[in-house]
Amino acid sequence: MLFSCENISKYYNGAAVVKDINLNLPEKSSVSLLGPSGTGKTTVFNILAGVSVPDGGSVRLRGENITGKAGYVSYMPQNDLLMPYRTVLDNIILPLIIGGQSKKEAREYAGDFLPKFGLADCAHKYPRQISGGMKQRAALLRTFFMDKPVILLDEPFSALDVITKIHMHKWFLSIAEEMGLSTLFITHDIDEAISLSDFVYILQGSPGAVCAGFELLPRKSREKDFIASAPFAAAKKEILNALGLGA
């Protein structure tokens, strides 16, 4: 298994926030952690990213125990965090510069990726001059340049309108396939979880706990209009029932 956590628990002031969380992320796959607000999704992600230490359990990358160790995975928070005084290109290349490349080398290297991410025409613009969708693409490319085997994405498309979000989902799926990304999402959007994932974990309750898991139709096997298909509707019905929202 590429990335996993086993029996993760976290307490604050003596009360459990999440308890006995087990997640698996196979290589080159996409997994979502789906649940309502207040169930501890961000707490779990902070532990997976190594910025918070669990009170129980472990996090493993290719079998190695990395619990409480930052820098092993890439983490893209909900907000794009683009610096307003830097161009899109200079925002994107920050991980490359931190890694030791000169600004000239980093710009040249990033230039090969800009067309794939639809950013070639806005590389020299500032964040205030581009759309929300473009900002998320820039933030994702910057996260990719952190060059880690796993990417954690915390509700990356939640600020977008529904139509833009659907376009971004299709674009992300093509990029993930082309670049062989291994991604773990936080989301409270059921349609998003089904659209983007090979497997969905449901987080419920207080303390938050995984109450169900759903293996979805493989992304390579899906129809072009999967979001309007019978398998999509069937998966959504199962997830709604698991969340206690079924008819």
Side-chain angles (χ1 to χ4, degrees):
M1 185 59 60
L2 173 63
F3 187 62
S4 64
C5 70
E6 301 169 0
N7 301 318
I8 289 292
S9 297
K10 185 70 176 179
Y11 294 80
Y12 287 113
N13 297 322
V17 179
V18 294
K19 191 168 178 61
D20 295 329
I21 304 295
N22 291 275
L23 306 172
N24 289 311
L25 176 67
E27 195 153 8
K28 296 182 181 179
S29 69
S30 177
V31 170
S32 285
L33 182 59
L34 172 70
S37 298
T39 52
K41 298 189 299 298
T42 298
T43 297
V44 172
F45 256 38
N46 286 337
I47 292 170
L48 296 179
V51 299
S52 178
V53 180
D55 294 305
S58 63
V59 180
R60 296 185 179 274
L61 178 64
R62 296 194 173 104
E64 178 185 354
N65 190 334
I66 61 166
T67 310
K69 299 177 182 178
Y72 283 82
V73 301
S74 301
Y75 188 6
M76 178 177 158
Q78 194 172 30
N79 191 313
D80 60 69
L81 298 180
L82 297 178
M83 298 179 182
Y85 52 86
R86 297 178 72 104
T87 64
V88 170
L89 178 58
D90 284 346
N91 267 287
I92 288 168
I93 64 173
L94 278 173
L96 302 176
I97 292 174
I98 292 170
Q101 292 190 29
S102 69
K103 186 177 285 189
K104 182 175 183 296
E105 289 172 331
R107 284 173 171 172
E108 289 175 355
Y109 179 77
D112 294 334
F113 291 86
L114 293 175
K116 286 186 174 84
F117 280 71
L119 297 168
D121 294 334
C122 65
H124 301 294
K125 293 182 179 180
Y126 290 89
R128 67 178 180 275
Q129 297 173 307
I130 63 175
S131 68
M134 292 296 104
K135 289 178 183 177
Q136 293 306 100
R137 292 182 187 218
L140 184 61
L141 181 52
R142 180 184 58 193
T143 305
F144 173 75
F145 282 155
M146 293 177 188
D147 196 25
K148 306 298 180 184
V150 173
I151 298 177
L152 306 180
L153 300 171
D154 186 352
E155 299 190 27
F157 309 124
S158 63
L160 304 178
D161 64 83
V162 173
I163 294 173
T164 302
K165 188 184 289 190
I166 291 172
H167 284 300
M168 286 294 293
H169 289 169
K170 291 181 178 179
W171 168 81
F172 176 82
L173 288 171
S174 68
I175 285 291
E177 177 67 24
E178 181 180 350
M179 304 181 82
L181 302 183
S182 303
T183 54
L184 183 60
F185 285 90
I186 279 179
T187 183
H188 57 255
D189 184 326
I190 297 172
D191 287 0
E192 179 168 88
I194 298 170
S195 296
L196 297 182
S197 307
D198 301 295
F199 195 94
V200 176
Y201 290 96
I202 307 296
L203 196 66
Q204 279 272 71
S206 181
V210 174
C211 68
F214 297 93
E215 187 170 3
L216 303 174
L217 186 69
R219 288 176 292 171
K220 290 182 180 179
S221 305
R222 295 177 182 180
E223 306 169 27
K224 189 175 181 180
D225 58 346
F226 177 62
I227 194 171
S229 69
F232 186 98
K236 186 170 183 177
K237 183 176 181 179
E238 283 190 89
I239 291 173
L240 285 168
N241 287 336
L243 289 166
L245 300 173

